[in-house]
Amino acid sequence: MRKLDELYDYMLGNMCIRYKQTKESLENIMDRIGYHESKNDAKCRQLGGGPGRGLFQFEEGVKEGGETAMNRLLRWFAK
C-alpha cells in the first residue's frame, strides 16, 4: 500500500502544479464528485443496472469510461 500512496502523492502533486491548486482543494473537489456520484460508496452501482460503477460511476467494459480513464492514467505515469 505504501507504493500506491507514493504514486498518489506524486500524481496529486503534479496536478496541483498543472492546475495551480492546493492538494486540499483537489481532494475536496474529488470528494464532492464522489459524494454527488455515489454518496462516497466505492461499491455503488448505477440505479437500474446501468453501466456506472464505483465512487465516480465510471462505465465498465471495453472502450468505456473506466477503461479510458485507466489508459489515460497509465499514459500519464509513463511520461
Side-chain angles (χ1 to χ4, degrees), residues 61-74:
V62 177
K63 296 186 180 180
E64 294 293 340
E67 183 179 48
T68 300
M70 182 58 70
N71 287 336
R72 287 178 179 166
L73 182 63
L74 292 171

